Amino acid sequence: MRLTVVGGGSTYTPELVDGFARLRETLPVTELVLVDPSLERLELVGGLARRILARQGHPGRVVTTTDLDAGVEGADAVLLQLRVGGQAARQQDETWPLECGCVGQETTGAGGLAKALRTVPVVLDIAERVRRTNPDAWIIDFTNPVGIVTRALLQSGHKAVGLCNVAIGFQRKFAALLGTTPERVHLDHVGLNHLSWELGVRLGGPDGEDVLPRLLAEHGRAIADDVRLPHALLAGLGAVPSYYLRYFYAHDEVVAELAGKPSRAAEVAAMEKHLLEMYGDPALDEKPELLAKRGGAYYSEAAVELAAALLGSSPGVQVVNTVNRGTLPFLPDDAVVEVQARVDGGGAVPLPVRPLDPLYAGLVAQVTAYEDLALDAALRGGRDRVAKALLAHPLVGQYRLADELTDRLVAHNREHLAWA
């Protein structure tokens, strides 16, 4: 089995490799190809990847290349984990929206739109190359904003599924609180990528007992601290919002917080520099503890589980980003939702979802409308399309603000926008 990681020079990659090594019976990878434009990063990350596999007795081979076409040729699955513009672009995404009094974040709001505009054309070019060299390969997208990028792939006819680690993180945390194994915990996970809620936590499967009320009663304060929202809010909702709902439910509070400290991009850039130095140590043969602070917890387990299901060796149920197909009846059928789905060699089919309360459905509908406009702007370009997408976003929603943010977005991203 040949699996290719585009963006293989990422500091995330050793987390992924560790998962391949530990879960080789689930996903028997014989060749792992790391593709990245940075030869220096490839040498550091590729070397550590080989040592991780060797330490754990994995017989697979690690190949590194800067040649995308050669890297994806013959791949059974291609995992996308790229960042167009690098941490420097992320630093901008997290900075200039704050100057307008808006959340500065790389996956939502104005910064998230900037990332989508830079990313969608690049991802579609990669996907076309995959289709030319190996049309049967599955594309697994971990590149943010996952919902918009996955929708772009699906609308262009690619075999693609989007993946995020939010749900598996909740599954692992809830299992620990309940004193059970993660496999027994089924989430009623509903929404969009980075706009989701856990409406139920069931033991044993989709029809199992809902223990979310017990979790909130016994561990509500700890869960609230984890998602950085007030305990009273979670108790009132009777649900657990993802961390990203902070940007909506506590917008002004978050803006004040972000404006008063160094950006997350600056923290990550410093962390990446240290990680790459560690990766260059020939004695290091396991993922370092520092990597856990980089983000992406349980990323490797989620990726292995999804790839194994898509490649037919281990079909199952997993939270993924896939086409709506009436799952949320108030959204277009071709919208991309993040829900539990049955995944096998034919792709991902969403499981039925109970009707959403208007409190959640209204926000999901509005953000889906924004994603429609964001994708249109990413595909066709133009200042007016960017402004309309920002006007539709619930974190912007005012015409003067949308105009100002549009000017700043274009100014900071001109080198990545062909139409600008």
Side-chain angles (χ1 to χ4, degrees):
M1 180 182 295
R2 190 176 204 237
L3 194 146
T4 297
V5 181
V6 179
S10 168
T11 53
Y12 273 130
T13 300
E15 164 71 28
L16 189 64
V17 175
D18 178 72
F20 292 151
R22 288 184 291 103
L23 303 170
R24 56 182 174 272
E25 292 184 5
T26 302
L27 187 69
V29 176
T30 55
E31 185 170 82
L32 176 64
V33 184
L34 307 181
V35 180
D36 201 280
S38 171
L39 184 60
E40 180 182 6
R41 277 180 170 253
L42 279 177
E43 290 176 350
L44 294 172
V45 175
L48 177 55
R50 294 183 184 97
R51 295 193 297 273
I52 290 174
L53 293 185
R55 176 190 173 103
Q56 300 196 37
H58 192 291
R61 186 167 77 108
V62 176
V63 176
T64 60
T65 180
T66 58
D67 185 334
L68 176 64
D69 292 322
V72 301
E73 186 174 3
D76 295 290
V78 176
L79 195 149
L80 306 180
Q81 56 170 32
L82 56 146
R83 182 183 295 280
V84 180
Q87 292 297 334
R90 177 179 180 173
Q91 169 70 19
Q92 293 179 353
D93 294 344
E94 295 179 352
T95 304
W96 54 262
L98 287 175
E99 297 168 359
C100 300
C102 292
V103 162
Q105 213 279 331
E106 65 158 344
T107 65
T108 192
L113 176 59
K115 192 172 197 300
L117 297 180
R118 294 193 303 269
T119 304
V120 166
V122 174
V123 165
L124 289 179
D125 176 66
I126 293 169
E128 284 299 329
R129 296 187 189 197
V130 172
R131 181 152 54 190
R132 285 199 302 267
T133 58
N134 190 14
D136 293 328
W138 278 102
I139 296 175
I140 298 172
D141 178 59
F142 197 71
T143 297
N144 282 317
V146 168
I148 295 173
V149 172
T150 301
R151 186 165 183 178
L153 289 165
L154 291 171
Q155 286 188 353
S156 297
H158 299 288
K159 294 176 61 177
V161 179
L163 181 64
C164 180
N165 69 322
V166 167
I168 194 171
F170 276 132
Q171 182 199 43
R172 298 301 199 263
K173 289 168 186 172
F174 293 160
L177 292 172
L178 292 165
T180 189
T181 60
E183 293 73 25
R184 293 198 67 234
V185 176
H186 178 95
L187 303 176
D188 289 348
H189 180 104
V190 183
L192 310 176
N193 179 241
H194 289 186
L195 192 87
S196 59
W197 299 263
E198 310 308 327
L199 301 183
V201 179
R202 301 181 183 277
L203 289 180
D207 300 319
E209 175 193 3
D210 183 6
V211 296
L212 181 56
R214 171 156 59 100
L215 272 171
L216 290 173
E218 297 177 1
H219 305 285
R221 293 191 183 280
I223 295 170
D225 288 345
D226 190 50
V227 298
R228 301 189 65 192
L229 285 167
H231 174 238
L233 174 63
L234 272 63
L237 294 175
V240 180
S242 81
Y243 168 88
Y244 292 90
L245 266 298
R246 266 192 98 224
Y247 301 117
F248 296 83
Y249 291 164
H251 177 273
D252 294 352
E253 177 184 331
V254 172
V255 167
E257 173 191 309
L258 294 175
K261 67 177 185 179
S263 68
R264 173 64 176 164
E267 294 176 1
V268 169
M271 199 179 304
E272 284 200 334
K273 184 175 184 295
H274 189 193
L275 283 169
L276 289 170
E277 291 172 353
M278 296 175 73
Y279 294 174
D281 180 357
L284 183 68
D285 58 3
E286 60 184 345
K287 65 176 183 179
E289 290 185 10
L290 178 62
L291 186 54
K293 297 181 181 179
R294 173 67 179 83
Y298 308 113
Y299 162 40
S300 59
E301 285 91 339
V304 167
E305 183 179 336
L306 179 55
L310 290 172
L311 298 176
S313 63
S314 184
V317 173
Q318 186 174 1
V319 173
V320 297
N321 285 260
T322 190
V323 68
N324 181 39
R325 302 183 202 177
T327 306
L328 299 181
F330 56 90
L331 296 184
D333 282 348
D334 64 349
V336 166
V337 295
E338 187 173 278
V339 295
Q340 291 277 9
R342 191 165 300 282
V343 187
D344 58 21
V349 177
L351 298 181
V353 171
R354 67 190 185 195
L356 274 190
D357 185 287
L359 177 63
Y360 311 122
L363 188 53
V364 167
Q366 187 175 1
V367 174
T368 298
Y370 150 75
E371 290 188 347
D372 289 347
L373 294 166
L375 182 53
D376 185 45
L379 294 174
R380 297 201 289 162
R383 185 193 183 283
D384 289 347
R385 293 187 180 94
V386 174
K388 286 179 180 177
L390 287 170
L391 188 60
H393 202 296
L395 297 183
V396 180
Q398 301 177 61
Y399 75 91
R400 292 186 189 278
L401 195 52
D403 280 345
E404 184 176 358
L405 287 166
T406 298
D407 288 339
R408 290 174 186 256
L409 186 157
V410 174
H412 283 284
N413 291 275
R414 200 176 300 277
E415 65 179 295
H416 300 292
L417 307 176
W419 51 269

